[in-house]
Amino acid sequence: MRTAVAAVAVVGISLLGAAIGMVAFLERSLRDEVRAAAGSRAVAVADSIALGELDGALDAGDAEEEFVQVLAGDGSVAASSRNLAGEPALIALDPGESVTVERVPFEDGPFLAVAARTTSPDGPAAVVVGRSLEDVADATAAATRALAIGIPILVVLVGAVAWRVVGRALAPVERIRDEVEAISAAELHRRVPATTGADEIAQLAETMNGMLDRLQRSQERQRRFVSDASHELRSPVASIRQQAEVAIAHPETTALGELAEGVLEEGLRLQHIVEDLLLLARIDEGRGPLRAGPVDLDDLLLDIAERLRNSSTLRVSTGGVSAARVVGDRGQLERLIRNLADNAVRHAQGEIALSLGRDERGVLLAVDDDGVGIGAAERERVFDRFVRLADARDRDTGGAGLGLSIAREIAALHRGTVAAVESQLGGARLEVHLPPAPDRASSASFSEESDPAPHHGDGPEERVPVREARRRR
């Protein structure tokens, strides 16, 4: 309500200033009218003197409201109205001057005296005419009293209306404030009360609820992430502990080489999980820099295809790979392709196909396999973290369920997308769309980032923060 009080104070001060100005203007206008009337009367008396008709002209006005004195050249009174008969000159004025006479012999109120020049038979003379300012004072006092009474009443009325209107207008804001103050990290399900209409307060409530929705989803996602990460980390740790306990309990039956091999395998698995978690955490916090430079995706695809041929018995087809270049982080893009390829290896029955080309959306990179495929209902969920489909639950082949999630995050950092569709080979097809590099490959559109990271590109190096890359998607 401080806003209403401030508004009323401003209105009160404005009204007070306006009232003072109005009273001053009224008094000045009325005095100007009196001055003009006295001047006209002085000129009329001067004209009568010039015509020799002075006797009838001196007492033509109201005796209580006006006086007339005709002054000779030496300042003595040559003639006067009856109300000043026998009185000396009240004031000496030069023609055209005017002054306020506070007291006159026949009246207590002030008079405004004005002088006019004339010529008498005995020589130059001046006519001084004074008119009462009582009406001016009365009118000014009446206006002042009216304003002194009216302005406080008006301010009170304005204050009451403002208090009620502002109070009703701000009541939803107060309810929103109370609700937001009561919301804690444990109560993100609560929402601020929505209001009807489309005014700013309704938009504020809608914005606040949208923010709370995002915070709740983020908190739920973080909790799932922590829970799933704890579950994934518990398995290799438990395996290492089990092998160690067996070796301690039965040292005579434990082969050192087998123990070291098992611990190494679980340690590597644990290391990969931790690295993936750290990468996702950095991406979520906006701290994953990109070292931008021109990257030939066909070179990366062919290198990974060669690795797959050497490490598996699957048939790896690269007939659909054509030249394509993008601007990005070579290491990150290589990891994206490797994650998609490893996923295909885990599910393929005999063949994998890598392809690269251009379409209306830019550069299209695809990895196909001839496995069981991904159901239409699972094609979006498969990119969630720690998600393994029913046919990939075996931890020896199914991984931790982070590969496709990381691939999508990396694509998003490069302003691209990853989607799962049905493959012509009968299994799954994972498609990556990325914006193509300009004709003259440059990374000038990326921002600099001071966080050090290895550079794998074959062009000019430049790092891009995750937050900036996401903004440009």
Side-chain angles (χ1 to χ4, degrees), residues 253-407:
T253 61
T254 302
L256 183 60
E258 294 179 358
L259 176 62
E261 183 179 350
V263 171
L264 177 61
E265 180 180 352
E266 295 298 333
L268 290 175
R269 179 182 165 196
L270 182 62
Q271 177 183 347
H272 293 157
I273 294 175
V274 171
E275 289 176 349
D276 289 344
L277 292 176
L278 288 176
L279 175 61
L280 290 173
R282 287 171 62 86
I283 291 175
D284 288 342
E285 294 177 5
R287 296 189 296 108
L290 297 178
R291 291 181 173 270
V295 180
D296 293 319
L297 291 181
D298 51 316
D299 291 342
L300 295 182
L301 273 176
L302 295 177
D303 290 342
I304 291 176
E306 186 63 25
R307 179 180 66 82
L308 294 179
R309 293 188 183 102
N310 295 332
S311 61
S312 69
T313 59
L314 298 173
R315 184 169 64 258
V316 181
S317 172
T318 56
V321 176
S322 59
R325 172 174 287 191
V326 299
V327 174
D329 187 312
R330 182 182 181 88
Q332 296 281 20
L333 292 173
E334 182 179 6
R335 182 165 189 171
L336 182 154
I337 300 172
R338 186 172 65 248
N339 285 2
L340 299 183
D342 290 343
N343 178 79
V345 168
R346 286 195 298 269
H347 297 88
Q349 297 179 357
E351 183 180 358
I352 294 175
L354 306 181
S355 59
L356 179 65
R358 299 285 293 270
D359 64 3
E360 67 279 359
R361 295 174 56 185
V363 174
L364 172 61
L365 184 155
V367 179
D368 295 75
D369 65 69
D370 60 351
V372 296
I374 302 175
E378 305 288 343
R379 288 175 185 169
E380 185 62 28
R381 194 175 71 89
V382 75
F383 293 101
D384 292 342
R385 298 173 184 182
F386 299 105
V387 170
R388 288 184 298 274
L389 301 184
D391 63 324
R393 290 295 181 183
D394 183 3
R395 293 185 182 276
D396 292 335
T397 61
L402 293 175
L404 295 184
S405 177
I406 292 175

